[in-house]
Amino acid sequence: MLYLATPSGPDVRTAMTAGLLGCMTTPAQGNRIPDGALYACDNGKFGKGWPGAAAWFDWLERTVTRYGADRCLWAVAPDIPFDAAGTLAESLPWLPRIRQLGAPAAFAAQDGCEHGLIPWDDLDVLFLAGSTEWKTGRAARQLAAEAINRGKTVHMGRVNSRRRLRLAHEFGCLTADGTYIAFGPDTNLPATLAWSAEINGQPALFGDAA
């Protein structure tokens, strides 16, 4: 499993270049993706970073062209947080356009989308979004298993603790993201790397995994 974060400081960027972390980028960040790092493109819908559909897609196309589709883990289509039906309608036109850029298309699953509201044929990555209760619950776990059975990969958003990272791993997620490192890189970077090493069965060389 690979943890994705924002490139908040030189040590974080070094870890990304070394492949210990992936880089999460959004239209509002304006961050340069570290050399050689794998990256994912969020859309900024959760928060205040959404620039509008046209500007978002222009940004996405520039980002994939600059850094390479081969390094892009996924790009998530526009969604409506916590609204399953609205997200399906919002995402459907964009999923094929993301694929046309050569990037895997991610669909942000919301509370209730388990009721036939996931466009399985149009997505490459199931992004577990929605409320904390939903994305850590039975429905999301079952959807993650179905995604894997269909040959898709799974991502979990807003993962900011060792417990949550372990849960994402139990769900079969290949990637997870959060803001934990950005709020204290000196302390939280070593902790996150230790959690990742533990989950991936590697030596904990970067701090206390507890």
Side-chain angles (χ1 to χ4, degrees):
M1 169 181 272
L2 184 66
Y3 190 79
L4 313 180
T6 56
S8 49
D11 290 342
V12 177
R13 300 180 72 88
T14 297
M16 290 176 176
T17 294
L20 301 174
L21 297 171
C23 182
M24 178 72 90
T25 188
T26 72
Q29 286 174 359
N31 290 319
R32 181 180 65 80
I33 295 169
D35 293 342
L38 298 176
Y39 69 96
C41 297
D42 202 351
N43 56 39
K45 278 278 196 168
F46 187 79
K48 300 179 180 180
W50 174 244
W56 160 76
F57 194 76
D58 286 346
W59 165 81
L60 178 61
E61 187 170 24
R62 291 194 309 271
T63 300
V64 173
T65 298
R66 178 177 180 182
Y67 296 105
D70 59 322
R71 289 167 53 193
C72 184
L73 294 164
W74 46 261
V76 63
D79 63 306
I80 300 179
F82 314 113
D83 182 341
T87 290
L88 179 61
E90 186 90 352
S91 294
L92 274 176
W94 296 105
L95 292 166
R97 295 190 65 182
I98 293 171
R99 284 176 163 177
Q100 288 170 4
L101 297 177
F107 176 79
Q110 312 289 342
D111 305 45
C113 70
E114 64 271 24
H115 303 300
L117 297 176
I118 296 183
W120 290 112
D121 291 340
D122 299 306
L123 65 89
D124 304 298
V125 179
L126 183 70
F127 184 129
L128 299 177
S131 68
T132 298
E133 293 74 18
W134 182 83
K135 73 177 181 182
T136 60
R138 179 181 297 178
R141 184 187 289 269
Q142 291 173 342
L143 286 176
E146 182 174 357
I148 293 166
N149 286 338
R150 289 173 176 266
K152 316 294 183 179
T153 59
V154 185
H155 172 85
M156 184 181 286
R158 304 198 314 276
V159 174
N160 293 302
S161 69
R162 176 178 180 266
R163 180 178 180 183
R164 186 68 53 80
L165 191 63
R166 289 187 64 84
L167 184 67
H169 183 258
E170 290 172 8
F171 277 27
C173 297
L174 290 186
T175 56
D177 79 275
T179 56
Y180 179 73
I181 294 175
F183 287 101
D186 290 348
T187 300
N188 296 345
L189 172 61
T192 304
L193 292 177
W195 301 342
S196 296
E198 177 189 28
I199 287 170
N200 291 322
Q202 300 167 344
L205 302 177
F206 308 101
D208 186 1

